[in-house]
Every structure is written in C-alpha cells, then in structure tokens.
C-alpha cells in the first residue's frame, strides 16, 4: 500500500464517523504531493497517520483545517520529523480496564498483575478505578469507566491486587509532563471525554507510580514473571499490543506465556491470535476479542466502551487449580 493509499484508507475506515477532523486531514494528505514526499523520507513504519497527526498536535499545530495543517507541516518539517523519529504510537487507554475487570474479578484472589505493552501502565490499576455497567456502579472516585455489557451480569467486586508491574519497549512515565502531553496528543481531537479520563487515570497512577521495565514481551517476560510474589495468582495481560508485534514474535509470545503459571488475558484484534472459531461480531465497528488462557470469551470495543459476551467467563476455583492455563489451547 502506498502512503497515499494508507492515508485514504485511514480516512475511510478508521477516522470516518469517529473523528471528522482526522478524516478531513487524512483525505487531504492522501492527495498532498508535498506532504507525501516528506513522509516518503521516513521509514514506512513512521509514516502512519496517527503518528504524524499526534506529533503535530503535540507541537501545538492545527489539525482542524487541512490547508493550515499543510502550511504548518511543510514549514516545521524539521522539528516534526525529529519528533516522529523518536516517538511511537502508544495510546494508553484506562477505559480498557472495564472489559478486563469481569475476568480479573472472577480469578482466584489476590492477583499479581503483569501487563506486557503497558505504555504508561494505566491499565495496571483496575482496582483503583470506578466502573458503570448500565445502572450498576462498582468502585468509587475518578475516573468512572462506562461500559455497556451484554450476555452476562456485571462484576460485583474489584480485584485484590497485591503486585503490579509492566513491560514495554518504551515505557512512558506518568510523572513526566512531556510523556503525559504525548499521551494526550495521541487522543483524537474530538474525544474530549477520553482526555479527561486520561488525566484522572494519570492522577491515580502518579500517586503510586507503576514499576515499568523497558523490555520485550517475549525475551523479558519470564524474568519479570519470576518476580511475582508466591501466594498471588499471576495474571499476564495485554490490550491492543499484538498488532504492533510481527506474527512469528506473537507466536513466540503465546508459547512463553502458556509456559508460565497463572492466567493469561488478551484483549486484541481478532486476527492477531489463532482462534479456531469466533462468532459473528455484534456490529461492523473494529472490535477486539477478550480471551482467557487462549479461550475467546467476548467482543469488546477498542476503548472499553462495550463488552458482548459469547462464552461463560466464570471459572470454578477447583478447575483453576487442577488445570493451569497452558492446558487450554487457543
Ligand atoms: C497501543 S499501546 C497499548 C497500551 C496499553 N496496553 C493500553 O491498552 O492502553 C501498545 C504498546 O505496546 C508496546 N509494545 C509494542 N511491541 C512491544 C514488544 N515487543 N514488547 C513490549 N512492548 C511492546 C508499545 O511500545 C506500546 O506502548
């Protein structure tokens, strides 16, 4: 796919109906020979719309008007290029905890949480946020994570987390204002509610900053998992990460995680892990599959807005003890 096609595709399939500003901008860039030539000097992985638009927003540039965006981008390319080369798209969405919570709450407590691809680690605090599943509220304080749930009753308890740690190729620091500004810039312009949620979640995380290790989810996972305390259920989890990982490395990761004690929760696009069958998705939006120990359980929306169960999530405690997760195949 050429860069022009990539931007046209982004406008039609990702930004359409979600971000009018990015839809306009992306379509304009797809027809803008000057900006396309600048992007052409970057490695292909660095030409993504989200990265360019995020950097321009981070630098305070205009993203509502394509003509103003063009002028700003061409005039300031040197500084834009430097930011693009050093930054990556690492959107950290605390809202995803709302789809992880039902599974976390059903596992034997207490939990030792290990998130791979943690970004700034905001999904490591599922016990500290409040949740609203329709009329059912659980937890207190901010942020309140709203989630529409079908196919099962909402959870009735928060997990008891006694250890939390994350792994990322490039961990971001919730106590570093520049990192937080970058996370804000990655949120699409119209999503003001998500920016408010990010600030609330950052405040929660900054009050007890997460332990985040710079490392790879295959090579560095066993050593970090070995640090989890005995007596707690180790839960390795990840959300919207594996699409960034090449297929052979995803397979290597699945092998490593199946070899660990405890449980494995994934919340990823349907095509990144090999499921035998998946039911028809509830709608045409881009959805993730929530799975426990390789067994798909539910469709989820990408920022945790909804969860549609298609399999039972409850795991009897006796089964958990007798049949560790690596006995379950995807
Ligand atoms: C889109 S972000 C998602 C962050 C977080 N999981 C969430 O749901 O909000 C993906 C993260 O995965 C990280 N990542 C990608 N490949 C990785 C790898 N091989 N090992 C560790 N982290 C990786 C990226 O650096 C990035 O921070």
């Amino acid at each position: 796919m050429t860069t022009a096609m990539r931007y046209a595709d982004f406008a039609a399939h990702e930004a359409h109906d979600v971000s009018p500003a990015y839809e306009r901008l992306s379509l304009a860039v797809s027809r803008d020979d000057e900006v396309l030539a600048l992007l052409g000097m970057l490695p292909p992985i660095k030409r993504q719309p989200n990265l360019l638009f995020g950097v321009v927003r981070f630098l305070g540039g205009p993203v509502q008007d394509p003509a103003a965006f063009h002028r700003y981008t061409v005039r300031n390319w040197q500084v834009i290029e430097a930011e693009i080369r050093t930054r990556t798209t690492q959107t950290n969405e605390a809202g995803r905890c709302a789809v992880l919570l039902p599974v976390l709450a059903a596992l034997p407590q207490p939990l030792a949480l290990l998130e791979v691809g943690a970004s700034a680690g905001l999904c490591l605090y599922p016990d500290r946020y409040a949740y609203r599943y329709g009329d059912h509220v659980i937890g207190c304080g901010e942020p309140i994570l709203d989630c529409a749930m079908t196919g099962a009753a909402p959870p009735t308890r928060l997990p008891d987390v006694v250890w939390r740690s994350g792994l990322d190729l490039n961990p971001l620091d919730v106590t570093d204002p520049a990192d937080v500004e970058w996370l804000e810039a990655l949120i699409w312009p119209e999503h003001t509610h998500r920016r408010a949620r990010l600030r609330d979640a950052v405040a929660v995380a900054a009050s007890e900053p997460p332990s985040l290790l710079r490392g790879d989810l295959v090579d560095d996972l066993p050593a970090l998992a070995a640090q989890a305390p005995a007596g707690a259920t180790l839960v390795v989890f990840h959300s919207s990460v594996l699409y960034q990982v090449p297929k052979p490395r995803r397979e290597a990761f699945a092998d490593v995680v199946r070899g660990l004690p405890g449980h494995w929760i994934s919340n990823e696009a349907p095509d990144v892990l090999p499921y035998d069958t998946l039911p028809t998705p509830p709608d045409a939006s881009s959805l993730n599959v929530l799975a426990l120990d390789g067994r798909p359980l539910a469709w989820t929306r990408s920022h945790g807005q909804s969860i549609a169960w298609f399999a039972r999530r409850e795991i009897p405690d006796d089964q958990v003890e007798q049949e560790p997760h690596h006995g379950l195949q995807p």
Side-chain angles (χ1 to χ4, degrees):
M1 202 189 269
T2 63
T3 307
M5 286 158 69
R6 202 162 160 185
Y7 276 74
D9 186 72
F10 180 88
H13 297 115
E14 295 195 47
H16 181 64
D17 277 347
V18 185
S19 169
Y22 277 8
E23 185 180 3
R24 275 194 306 274
L25 224 54
S26 203
L27 200 58
V29 171
S30 77
R31 298 165 179 162
D32 184 333
D33 289 340
E34 206 172 354
V35 173
L36 288 171
L38 294 171
L39 288 167
M41 296 186 300
L42 296 167
I45 192 138
K46 291 285 181 183
R47 296 176 197 163
Q48 327 155 36
N50 265 329
L51 189 54
L52 171 65
F53 300 159
V55 162
V56 170
R57 293 190 70 232
F58 178 71
L59 294 170
V63 292
Q64 295 293 339
D65 170 24
F69 174 85
H70 169 93
R71 280 193 300 277
Y72 182 89
T73 302
V74 171
R75 276 186 201 146
N76 297 285
W77 181 250
Q78 222 176 340
V79 63
I80 292 172
E81 180 184 1
E83 292 290 347
I84 286 179
R85 286 186 185 276
T86 53
R87 296 191 181 277
T88 56
T89 52
Q90 299 190 255
T91 304
N92 199 184
E93 181 49 77
R96 292 177 183 137
C97 287
V99 302
L100 300 173
L101 182 73
V103 179
L104 293 171
L107 292 173
Q109 310 290 313
L111 304 181
L113 296 182
L114 194 169
E115 183 181 16
V116 298
S119 182
L122 299 181
C123 293
L124 280 166
Y125 296 83
D127 52 331
R128 305 284 174 84
Y129 303 140
Y131 302 84
R132 189 160 43 211
Y133 300 94
D135 293 336
H136 178 78
V137 175
I138 177 166
C140 56
E142 302 282 348
I144 301 177
L145 308 178
D146 276 295
C147 181
M149 182 180 291
T150 56
T156 53
R157 66 175 179 185
L158 294 173
D160 175 16
V161 179
V162 291
W163 182 86
R164 62 191 99 221
S165 195
L167 195 57
D168 200 286
L169 289 178
N170 182 43
L172 297 177
D173 179 354
V174 286
T175 65
D176 178 342
D179 280 0
V180 176
E181 274 173 41
W182 175 235
L183 287 172
E184 286 204 27
L186 284 169
I187 295 177
W188 293 9
E190 297 84 352
H191 296 186
T192 43
H193 65 291
R194 290 184 57 214
R195 263 186 291 284
R197 184 160 73 201
L198 173 74
R199 284 181 212 123
D200 288 339
V202 163
V204 169
S207 70
E208 189 194 313
S211 141
L212 296 178
L213 187 77
R214 184 178 297 274
D216 175 77
L217 53 72
V218 179
D219 301 335
D220 301 302
L221 174 58
L224 185 55
Q227 294 177 24
T233 303
L234 173 67
V235 184
V236 176
F237 72 100
H238 48 95
S239 182
S240 301
V241 172
L242 294 188
Y243 75 96
Q244 298 187 353
V245 177
K247 190 163 180 279
R249 296 294 285 171
R250 282 181 224 152
E251 290 166 1
F253 166 71
D255 286 344
V256 170
V257 79
R258 280 194 208 105
L260 295 172
H263 288 275
W264 167 31
I265 301 174
S266 60
N267 183 44
E268 298 284 346
D271 55 346
V272 299
L273 286 169
Y275 300 119
D276 286 342
T277 54
L278 286 173
T280 309
D283 60 61
S285 61
S286 78
L287 297 170
N288 283 335
V289 172
L290 180 72
L292 174 64
D293 301 331
R295 177 180 167 232
L297 299 177
W299 293 106
T300 65
R301 287 204 61 190
S302 60
H303 300 139
Q305 307 96 310
S306 69
I307 178 164
W309 295 95
F310 51 76
R312 252 166 54 88
R313 72 165 184 269
E314 287 82 10
I315 323 157
D317 283 356
D318 56 348
Q319 185 188 323
V320 170
E321 280 161 18
Q322 288 159 20
E323 194 177 1
H325 77 273
H326 42 270
L328 300 171
Q329 296 302 318

